[in-house]
Amino acid sequence: MTTETAKKPSVLFVCVHNAGRSQMAAAFLTSLAKGAVEVRSAGSQPAEKINPSAVEAMAEVGIDMSAEVPKVLTTEAVKESDVVITMGCGDECPYFPGKRYEDWVLEDPAGKGVDSVRPIRDEIRTRIEALITELVPAQHPDAQ
């Protein structure tokens, strides 16, 4: 099986509102994996719009999330994903055997200014870089 025909790993990021943490994680993974990973994000109770402080914090590192919209979590999205990363949605995420589940405990950026969102953004980036190294190690020749 060549890399062209190999199935791309897929990751679903889930938080309650799909307006901050999960959107930042999805944007980082989309940007940093350069197409090597299929990326989804959703919320168990989606907000009406993306957190403006999250959009601003991501713009500071060159990633534009301004066109993103919160999406509702569906059973199909979980079924279609290899890795499901939850961020504070607790038991609201459907469980399917054979999936890799991780719960990332991250501060909720809701209602916070950009100064408070930056450390959350940076923690998400660190976790995304480690995740890429696990899912597509060939993309990081310097990875140990």
Side-chain angles (χ1 to χ4, degrees), residues 14-15 21 83-91 93 100-106 127:
V14 182
C15 65
R21 295 167 288 188
V83 180
V84 179
I85 297 175
T86 57
M87 303 170 173
C89 68
D91 295 333
C93 187
R100 173 178 159 189
Y101 287 87
E102 290 185 25
D103 185 44
W104 289 1
V105 179
L106 296 161
R127 291 176 186 226

Side-chain angles (χ1 to χ4, degrees), residues 60-81:
E60 291 176 353
V61 295
I63 298 175
D64 181 9
M65 290 190 341
S66 60
E68 295 298 324
V69 293
K71 295 167 280 306
V72 69
L73 176 64
T74 64
T75 301
E76 291 73 33
V78 177
K79 281 184 182 174
E80 293 169 7
S81 301

Side-chain angles (χ1 to χ4, degrees), residues 72-142:
V72 69
L73 176 64
T74 64
T75 301
E76 291 73 33
V78 177
K79 281 184 182 174
E80 293 169 7
S81 301
D82 300 313
V83 180
V84 179
I85 297 175
T86 57
M87 303 170 173
C89 68
D91 295 333
E92 296 185 44
C93 187
Y95 178 82
F96 293 97
K99 305 281 176 205
R100 173 178 159 189
Y101 287 87
E102 290 185 25
D103 185 44
W104 289 1
V105 179
L106 296 161
E107 190 176 342
D108 188 347
K112 295 184 176 6
V114 71
D115 289 343
S116 299
V117 174
R118 284 186 192 110
I120 302 167
R121 173 201 65 200
D122 296 343
E123 172 68 18
I124 290 171
R125 181 183 188 128
T126 299
R127 291 176 186 226
I128 292 298
E129 289 169 345
L131 182 67
I132 292 170
T133 301
E134 291 173 31
L135 295 177
V136 282
Q139 290 234 168
H140 294 275
D142 53 288

